Amino acid sequence: MKKLFLSGLIFLCCMFTTSCSQEPVDGTRFLFNTICTLTVYSEENPDESAEEIIEGAFDLCEEYENMFSRTIEGSDIDRINNSNGQPVEVSPDTADIIGEAVRYGEISGGAFDITTAPLSILWDFEGDAPSVPPAGEIEELLKTVDYTKIRVEGSTVTLEPPAKAIDLGAIAKGYITDRLVEYLTDNGVTSAIISLGGNIYAIGTSDGRPFRIGVQDPAGEGGAILGYVEISNKSVVTSGDYQRFFVQDGKVYHHILDPETGYPTDNGLASVTIISDRSTDGDALSTSCFVLGLEDGMELVNGIDGVEAIFVDHDGNMYFSDGFGTGMEFVQA
Ligand code: ADP
Ligand code: MG
């Protein structure tokens, strides 16, 4: 009763004032090994409060984590990784995301490869005391990296040897973000920001204007930004070498691996930010471009309609895809 009364009031307020804004409602959870925040600025579902919708969205995140996580026993990915080449029946979403990941393997010429999992496990970037693994072990596991050994038929996934394991870390947050956009808009949310560990999507507008999303300075401290882009109903995703890494003998070893060498990519790039309609594309492409490097990565992005990119190198230089200046703007901080 109270809820109905409140939303009635909000409706009236929207009718009579042009710049009506509800108090934003937000929620934060630690999921996918990172901090996830949902902020709802306006919603028009008379049956559910923004708090309830956010709660439902996080429940959905948990369902996805239980399907996609490599480290949760019994998840679809865990079962595939323990299948010894046998077909595994998975959820339609798991089959779908693996299909997308294989497609990005093809699009990126193998720079994006979810079968790098055994190498990520060996490097153990998230462990307590990671160190550079012996070259021989890297060499050995490189033989298992081959996304073409993944077969998806309906909701059956087969991981054929020598491929050994898959990890969706480079695409899952984007894929789940797209599902959250569907969930939130289906529940009447008209203005919101989804942030899954910096994997961002802006639904609608903020008081009638696009949302401003900052692009982090890879060399900066405390979340300093280089500038921002203005977006509405789009995703902004960044891959960088400053997010998860360790330092050994003065050298930085970060968590994005070159599937050709088995070592962290070392091509002078500090970050790649992708702006796209679907966050699945943004997530997969930011990792792909980070591995491909400036030249090949930029060529890839410029060949895809509706996708823009900002590359930042270790000298602080910024490089923009062709769409900047013709529709997309970057505003320097
Ligand atoms: P973030 O950790 O910020 O989501 P990415 O989206 O770039 O960053 O994903 C990096 C993760 O993807 C790594 O932690 C690892 O699990 C996996 N990964 C590492 N290298 C590759 C690669 N070349 N292709 C696909 N996945 C990768
Ligand atoms: Mg990614």
Side-chain angles (χ1 to χ4, degrees):
M1 203 50 201
K2 191 170 157 223
K3 238 185 293 164
L4 275 178
F5 175 66
L6 267 181
S7 45
L9 264 187
I10 287 157
F11 176 62
L12 274 179
C13 132
C14 290
M15 292 253 300
F16 293 110
T17 60
T18 46
S19 66
C20 152
S21 54
Q22 259 170 258
E23 275 298 300
V25 178
D26 61 15
T28 299
R29 290 244 197 122
F30 194 81
L31 290 159
F32 324 118
N33 221 357
T34 187
I35 296 165
C36 301
T37 307
L38 301 176
T39 311
V40 171
Y41 294 92
S42 68
E43 60 104 353
E44 45 196 30
N45 180 350
D47 300 324
E48 269 191 297
S49 66
E51 283 87 352
E52 287 169 320
I53 296 169
I54 289 172
E55 203 58 27
F58 279 133
D59 289 348
L60 189 61
C61 287
E62 261 168 42
E63 276 177 42
Y64 280 117
E65 184 163 36
N66 288 332
M67 281 183 232
F68 298 162
S69 169
R70 171 174 61 71
T71 53
I72 294 178
E73 213 175 304
S75 73
D76 283 348
I77 302 309
D78 178 57
R79 289 189 301 116
I80 292 168
N81 290 349
N82 287 296
S83 63
N84 295 313
Q86 293 307 303
V88 178
E89 192 62 24
V90 296
S91 74
D93 279 307
T94 304
D96 192 30
I97 188 177
I98 293 175
E100 294 268 12
V102 170
R103 193 168 68 85
Y104 273 100
E106 288 159 4
I107 289 174
S108 68
F112 186 92
D113 192 328
I114 58 170
T115 64
T116 46
L119 283 161
S120 294
I121 296 166
L122 177 69
W123 279 91
D124 195 23
F125 293 100
E126 266 135 52
D128 292 334
S131 62
V132 179
E137 285 184 37
I138 292 176
E139 196 73 14
E140 210 40 49
L141 289 182
L142 259 184
K143 296 175 189 157
T144 73
V145 177
D146 184 357
Y147 73 91
T148 67
K149 297 294 176 210
I150 304 168
R151 269 214 328 271
V152 183
E153 287 148 326
S155 55
T156 304
V157 176
T158 314
L159 184 64
E160 287 170 0
K164 232 165 94 177
I166 60 179
D167 182 313
L168 298 175
I171 190 169
K173 291 199 290 293
Y175 185 88
I176 296 165
T177 296
D178 289 336
R179 302 293 80 78
L180 288 177
V181 172
E182 290 165 359
Y183 179 85
L184 293 174
T185 51
D186 283 353
N187 278 281
V189 170
T190 52
S191 171
I193 294 284
I194 300 167
S195 169
L196 307 185
N199 205 301
I200 291 172
Y201 189 97
I203 296 176
T205 54
S206 163
D207 279 334
R209 305 201 1 228
F211 282 98
R212 291 176 172 180
I213 307 297
V215 176
Q216 206 174 323
D217 179 357
E221 275 174 31
I225 61 165
L226 293 167
Y228 61 84
V229 289
E230 294 191 321
I231 57 155
S232 174
N233 297 320
K234 280 192 193 298
S235 149
V236 179
V237 181
T238 301
S239 280
D241 63 3
Y242 57 92
Q243 288 158 329
R244 290 169 207 252
F245 65 89
F246 67 86
V247 180
Q248 187 173 320
D249 300 327
K251 194 169 158 49
V252 171
Y253 295 91
H254 61 83
H255 72 313
I256 302 174
L257 300 174
D258 183 341
E260 267 182 16
T261 64
Y263 285 82
T265 59
D266 190 9
N267 54 26
L269 286 180
S271 72
V272 178
T273 298
I274 301 285
I275 301 124
S276 57
D277 292 337
R278 292 194 330 151
S279 202
T280 305
D281 301 324
D283 199 358
L285 280 172
S286 63
T287 310
S288 302
C289 290
F290 195 81
V291 175
L292 284 170
L294 177 59
E295 211 169 307
D296 292 346
M298 196 60 97
E299 193 184 320
L300 174 62
V301 166
N302 282 332
I304 306 174
D305 270 352
V307 174
E308 302 303 336
I310 302 169
F311 290 60
V312 183
D313 69 17
H314 283 139
D315 297 324
N317 300 307
M318 301 180 73
Y319 307 85
F320 297 90
S321 61
D322 290 347
F324 279 88
T326 59
M328 185 60 66
E329 294 300 332
F330 176 79
V331 182
Q332 208 131 8

